[in-house]
Amino acid sequence: MKIVKYLAYLIITIALLTTIYLYSPSIDDIVTYLPTTDQTTVQRITLNNDQPSSNLVEDSLNHTCTKKHKNFVFVKTHKTGTSTTVNILYHFGIIHGLNYAVYPYSHQLHLVQPVRLMKLLSNETYNIMCQHMVFDKMTIESVMPSNSYYFSLIRNPIKAFVSFFIFYNSDRRMINYAGSEISLDESINRFLNLKIRESNVQENSGSYLIANNLNSMSFDLGMSHGSTKLITEDEITAYIRMLDDRFDLLMTLEHLDESLLLLQQDLCWDMDEMFYLNRMVSKSQRSHEPLEESTVARLTKLLTPDVRLYEHFSKKLEKRLSVMSTDFPEKLKEFKEAKSKFEKDCMVMDKLVAAPYHSQQHPLTEEGQKSLHCQVLAERDTVLTKFISRLQDPNYASLSNNEPYVDKYKNLESFPRQWKLKT
């Protein structure tokens, strides 16, 4: 009898497992694998119902809007303010019911063959690509509509390096190797010595190392094609020329508000759609420690790819700002004042609470907790990626019901808005 019961249980178990396998969504139900891209013949998706992106603003003085541009590629660079900026794009896409080219199972979108993206319905196309990724022109053009607007955000290279160095614990590792507390200046020099030994490159050889933790902006923008690589001055020049031709706008963190007004003009969005929240405040004061002049000079040399990238696009941005209409300063003032009021409506500005990544953030006000706009701008982009994936694909929704952000965002479905769960 025991053998008969055992066989019966075994048969039932196999039947249940088979049912689960056949009828439960798998990663292949959710993710589409793009075919390998032929780097010489890229088929680009063309939409005829929207304005073209190429040189949207030839003349900043005479720009007129027709309708909102809804196809764009935003390349996130590390430690430059892009996590704050990208939430602007998440909010815009949510309220306009747009589709994101995302991969929800990773913090980054890996543009290696085969590229894996959240599936769409057969009659739809991707509108927005804004996850962390290493820029790959050919692959992105094979995915995104041909009229997509390309933009990114960069920052003073030395400040970007220091922020990266501290945030990703390289500073702490150098302190641990030293066996005692050392200055930020000494910590950076120890790190640079280590990188130079590892890469076997001379500091004045005319070749420059690009890695995810050295010249990170150039790395993210694809100058080394996603791998640690030595690059020459001529290669830097050629790559900057390609970026200049492909990108519609490279904003700078030092002129973020001005950049966002240019972006608003280019994309024909409303001013309040450019509002952002400074949602994370670092606990560490380490990044404010002064560096010796010799260390700044050394960094400037080793960061030549990032320095040249920043200098080129900063000058281009300044030139464009210099020919804006005479009422631009007044528009900028209006934007700053309106954003400040929005920020105070959303967040409790005199209070800080613990946040991920050794940081702090301002909690939302009662009004902010009821506002879709405030909630999205205050959320981590990694959480928003999963939430958007749930909205975009019902199969992913069924797999993610137990994740904590689902309950947190249930109230968003009561907002009068255009998106809804697709069935």
Side-chain angles (χ1 to χ4, degrees):
M1 285 296 293
K2 287 184 179 181
I3 294 175
V4 173
K5 286 183 179 179
Y6 174 78
L7 288 173
Y9 287 141
L10 182 62
I11 292 169
I12 292 170
T13 301
I14 292 172
L16 286 171
L17 290 174
T18 302
T19 302
I20 292 170
Y21 176 80
L22 290 175
Y23 296 103
S24 295
S26 67
I27 191 170
D28 288 327
D29 294 319
I30 298 165
V31 175
T32 184
Y33 294 79
L34 297 179
T36 300
T37 303
D38 183 343
Q39 295 295 301
T40 58
T41 56
V42 179
Q43 295 295 318
R44 298 172 70 186
I45 307 165
T46 302
L47 296 182
N48 297 318
N49 62 346
D50 215 338
Q51 54 188 322
S53 74
S54 179
N55 297 317
L56 272 175
V57 183
E58 292 288 344
D59 184 349
S60 294
L61 289 170
N62 300 313
H63 179 70
T64 56
C65 279
T66 53
K67 61 179 179 179
K68 294 182 182 183
H69 193 73
K70 297 179 180 178
N71 299 323
F72 46 86
V73 174
F74 178 64
V75 179
K76 287 190 70 179
T77 50
H78 283 82
K79 307 314 296 174
T80 60
T82 54
S83 291
T84 297
T85 309
V86 79
N87 283 18
I88 298 172
L89 312 182
Y90 279 124
H91 175 255
F92 182 85
I94 288 172
I95 63 173
H96 290 285
L98 304 182
N99 289 320
Y100 290 80
V102 296
Y103 184 64
Y105 300 101
S106 172
H107 178 47
Q108 302 208 17
L109 184 60
H110 297 283
L111 297 179
V112 295
Q113 304 295 350
V115 179
R116 296 180 295 179
L117 298 172
M118 181 69 76
K119 279 184 177 179
L120 295 177
L121 301 178
S122 59
N123 62 338
E124 297 187 349
T125 189
Y126 297 110
N127 306 109
I128 302 171
M129 181 179 283
C130 61
Q131 259 185 304
H132 263 307
M133 59 183 165
V134 173
F135 178 70
D136 183 322
K137 179 177 181 288
M138 290 294 196
T139 302
I140 293 172
E141 288 181 347
S142 72
V143 175
M144 297 300 293
S146 61
N147 62 354
S148 295
Y149 182 96
Y150 285 67
F151 65 113
S152 186
L153 177 64
I154 55 178
R155 180 187 186 184
N156 176 293
I158 292 179
K159 290 183 178 179
F161 169 82
V162 170
S163 180
F164 194 111
F165 182 71
I166 294 172
F167 184 84
Y168 288 102
N169 294 318
S170 295
D171 182 39
R172 177 48 53 188
R173 285 195 290 274
M174 294 303 105
I175 293 172
N176 290 341
Y177 292 155
S180 61
E181 288 294 326
I182 55 177
S183 68
L184 176 64
D185 190 272
E186 183 179 346
S187 180
I188 287 174
N189 277 290
R190 284 172 175 259
F191 172 81
L192 295 178
N193 293 340
L194 182 63
K195 291 297 291 186
I196 288 166
R197 285 200 303 271
E198 287 177 348
S199 60
N200 196 28
V201 62
Q202 299 298 317
E203 289 196 48
N204 297 306
S205 66
S207 294
Y208 305 95
L209 182 68
I210 295 182
N212 63 353
N213 57 2
L214 193 68
N215 290 299
S216 62
M217 294 187 297
S218 296
F219 183 90
D220 292 333
L221 285 164
M223 199 177 287
S224 64
H225 306 289
S227 60
T228 300
K229 181 181 178 182
L230 292 176
I231 194 167
T232 65
E233 290 273 8
D234 288 344
E235 289 173 311
I236 296 170
T237 300
Y239 201 81
I240 289 175
R241 189 180 299 122
M242 185 280 291
L243 292 175
D244 205 352
D245 180 62
R246 172 65 276 185
F247 277 74
D248 297 279
L249 178 66
L250 258 76
M251 308 185 294
T252 66
L253 183 61
E254 290 74 17
H255 295 287
L256 180 58
D257 288 349
E258 293 90 334
S259 297
L260 288 174
L261 283 188
L262 292 181
L263 186 66
Q264 179 211 351
Q265 175 180 276
D266 288 5
L267 300 181
C268 293
W269 292 7
D270 299 330
M271 182 181 284
D272 63 358
E273 290 174 324
M274 291 297 164
F275 289 168
Y276 62 90
L277 297 177
N278 291 309
R279 58 185 179 82
M280 293 179 70
V281 181
S282 176
K283 291 180 181 178
S284 173
Q285 296 299 310
R286 181 82 162 166
S287 60
H288 300 296
E289 284 189 26
L291 300 179
E292 297 288 342
E293 287 186 13
S294 58
T295 301
V296 172
R298 189 184 188 194
L299 278 172
T300 301
K301 186 68 175 175
L302 290 170
L303 297 175
T304 291
D306 273 5
V307 168
R308 288 193 53 194
L309 180 80
Y310 179 77
E311 287 179 347
H312 175 85
F313 286 105
S314 290
K315 289 176 182 176
K316 185 174 181 179
L317 179 68
E318 289 171 7
K319 184 177 180 180
R320 184 171 169 194
L321 288 171
S322 71
V323 297
M324 292 299 293
S325 59
T326 54
D327 65 345
F328 185 79
E330 186 59 35
K331 288 181 178 177
L332 180 61
K333 181 174 180 288
E334 179 188 348
F335 174 73
K336 287 177 179 291
E337 290 175 351
K339 183 181 72 67
S340 177
K341 181 182 183 306
F342 172 77
E343 191 173 58
K344 291 173 183 175
D345 289 342
C346 285
M347 300 191 302
V348 182
M349 301 306 296
D350 59 354
K351 184 178 180 181
L352 287 170
V353 295
Y357 309 119
H358 313 292
S359 66
Q360 306 169 96
Q361 66 184 46
H362 299 288
L364 291 176
T365 62
E366 286 188 23
E367 182 180 344
Q369 292 172 31
K370 299 173 184 177
S371 163
L372 170 69
H373 202 173
C374 294
Q375 286 191 69
V376 171
L377 294 187
E379 188 54 87
R380 285 180 294 144
D381 56 322
T382 49
V383 174
L384 290 174
T385 298
K386 291 179 179 293
F387 177 63
I388 286 165
S389 300
R390 179 174 175 266
L391 295 175
Q392 196 160 297
D393 190 291
N395 287 325
Y396 182 77
S398 68
L399 289 182
S400 60
N401 281 333
N402 292 325
E403 297 197 40
Y405 65 87
V406 173
D407 287 335
K408 180 178 180 181
Y409 281 101
K410 275 183 179 176
N411 64 312
L412 292 188
E413 297 186 23
S414 64
F415 277 83
R417 43 204 291 284
Q418 294 182 29
W419 61 256
K420 61 182 185 298
L421 276 172
K422 292 176 180 141
T423 56

